[in-house]
Amino acid sequence: MAEIVAAALTSHAPLITGRPDIGKPEQRERLYAGFHELGRRLAAARPELIVMFVNDHLQNFPYSNLPAFCVGLADEYDAPSAGGGKFMRLPPRKLRGDRAWATALLEAGLDAGFDFAYSYEIESWDELSVPLHFLTPDGVVPVLPIYTNCAAPPLPRLRRCHAMGGFVGDFIRAHPARRRVALVASGGISHWVGTPDTGRINPEWDHHVLDHIARADLEPLLGLTHEDIERDGGNGGQEIRNWIALLGAVPGWKGEALAYEPVAEWITGCATVWVHA
Amino acid sequence: MIPEVSYALNKVLTAVARRHAMKPALSDEDLAGHTLSEPERAALKAGNIDALYRLGANPYLIRRVFRANFKI
């Protein structure tokens, strides 16, 4: 049977790689160290597939068609594309997908009451490109991205995201293939992007989120409403849906924050978290 | 409370963002073929990020297209 051999939560922001020069050196180095430690632990777990819980920033799913949850069925993903890479200052690269597993997940979801949308072509922005730049620099492990709408309200409820992740975890553990699967979720924590409060970060809320994850005490987070998060975590804070989904896949696992830095210059409360039993 | 959404604004901004273009303001050429209200058209042509937010543009799209107009 397949097994979940690793799980990690990270923030994503194009400026993490796009403008490292503007971050305070000590903050940048602590956060980069957190990413590198996550990468070291991930490599040690020898994953053969990485299931990614991520979100689009409206570069793939426009207002004419906005899925709550979407499974990537692409053979490969631009992470980043040549155009996107300019902003993140990352070289363009293709990451291999896994259509067979993604299709099986999609089919199983339909049986279980999770009617995922699907896409054969997704251009990754920072949601895949930035964390995987650190975590899988060689890019040889295939990825299976699951996109959750965190950017264009109304958004799926946190409890539903958690249940979706629970389904994904059950799917992996029930898969007959002997395969080592890692989970990575990216997004959050607090940040205000493109709003009149752009640049605001709320470290107090970020620590609140991290503390609950450290104790595997998710119930208070599952009860957060869109308005709660918008007020305390900003529109970017809505991306904790990806973290919540991952945590749903590994019930009882706890999050060890390797780094947390409220980086004003990158307008994001940035964290790297190793999740373990 | 879900914020007001302007589909017309987001459609224009999506088209520009997908070209990976960042601009201080949009041109008549960018707006050609789009049905917009006068306040929407004025905000796009001025690159007025606060007005765009009030008028229902998605903040991620505002940031993508008008990045240069933000202080940070």
Side-chain angles (χ1 to χ4, degrees):
Chain A
M1 304 291 273
E3 60 176 326
I4 297 173
V5 297
L9 314 172
T10 82
S11 302
H12 62 236
L15 295 173
I16 291 175
T17 54
R19 291 300 306 273
D21 52 305
I22 61 174
K24 295 179 182 66
E26 62 276 17
Q27 280 198 310
R28 181 184 64 227
E29 294 314 313
R30 286 194 294 262
L31 183 67
Y32 278 18
F35 271 115
H36 290 310
E37 177 60 14
L38 274 190
R40 191 191 66 73
R41 295 185 188 191
L42 189 65
R46 295 178 289 109
E48 297 163 301
L49 174 70
I50 302 176
V51 173
M52 302 276 303
F53 295 93
V54 292
N55 63 280
D56 189 42
H57 303 88
L58 297 161
Q59 74 268 28
N60 290 285
F61 309 124
Y63 273 84
S64 57
N65 192 352
L66 270 164
F69 302 117
C70 179
V71 173
L73 296 188
D75 287 327
E76 57 186 15
Y77 297 91
D78 286 307
S81 69
K86 281 189 300 184
F87 299 113
M88 290 172 267
R89 290 197 194 169
L90 293 174
R93 70 170 176 169
K94 303 275 189 187
L95 292 177
R96 198 152 46 94
D98 189 323
R99 184 171 298 164
W101 264 66
T103 303
L105 176 69
L106 187 62
E107 292 270 12
L110 293 170
D111 289 333
F114 289 93
D115 302 337
F116 293 102
Y118 60 91
S119 174
Y120 279 77
E121 183 175 2
I122 294 175
E123 179 189 347
S124 153
W125 194 250
D126 52 326
E127 73 279 4
L128 293 182
S129 306
V130 168
L132 292 182
H133 164 74
F134 295 99
L135 301 186
T136 60
D138 55 6
V140 297
V141 182
V143 297
L144 193 174
I146 300 170
Y147 278 79
T148 291
N149 178 13
C150 300
L155 309 177
R157 307 313 189 225
L158 271 75
R159 202 170 293 281
R160 181 64 171 166
C161 297
H162 187 256
M164 182 273 284
F167 158 74
V168 173
D170 291 343
F171 166 81
I172 293 168
R173 285 183 288 266
H175 199 289
R178 289 172 59 89
R179 203 170 193 194
R180 301 172 66 82
V181 179
L183 310 179
V184 175
S186 82
I189 308 174
S190 70
H191 54 300
W192 279 255
V193 185
T195 72
D197 291 326
T198 293
R200 186 180 163 206
I201 299 171
N202 185 353
E204 186 181 347
W205 189 74
D206 293 343
H207 284 297
H208 171 77
V209 171
L210 289 169
D211 288 348
H212 280 287
I213 291 173
R215 298 194 303 270
D217 174 25
L218 299 186
E219 189 57 34
L221 301 182
L222 300 185
L224 293 175
T225 65
H226 178 272
E227 291 75 14
D228 292 334
I229 298 174
E230 203 77 4
R231 179 192 65 231
D232 297 328
N235 59 323
Q238 304 288 353
E239 293 172 340
I240 66 166
R241 283 167 172 76
N242 300 322
W243 290 24
I244 294 294
L246 181 148
L247 294 165
V250 285
W253 287 26
K254 297 177 178 177
E256 173 192 358
L258 302 179
Y260 170 74
E261 297 293 335
V263 185
E265 297 82 358
W266 297 340
I267 64 168
T268 305
C270 298
T272 61
V273 182
W274 180 249
V275 183
H276 55 83
Chain B
M1 186 67 134
I2 300 305
E4 192 73 24
V5 171
S6 165
Y7 179 60
L9 276 178
N10 289 321
K11 190 172 182 177
V12 175
L13 294 173
T14 298
V16 177
R18 284 188 167 188
R19 297 198 300 271
H20 300 293
M22 286 197 298
K23 304 184 171 202
L26 298 193
S27 65
D28 286 330
E29 187 182 353
D30 293 319
L31 307 188
H34 291 277
T35 303
L36 297 156
S37 69
E38 273 314 308
E40 289 172 338
R41 183 172 294 273
L44 289 166
K45 291 188 70 171
N48 186 335
I49 55 178
D50 289 341
L52 287 167
Y53 181 74
R54 286 197 307 274
L55 290 167
N58 185 285
Y60 284 101
L61 291 171
I62 299 172
R63 176 79 176 174
R64 281 281 295 281
V65 174
F66 296 111
R67 169 75 183 285
N69 300 5
F70 285 84
K71 289 180 187 150
I72 185 165

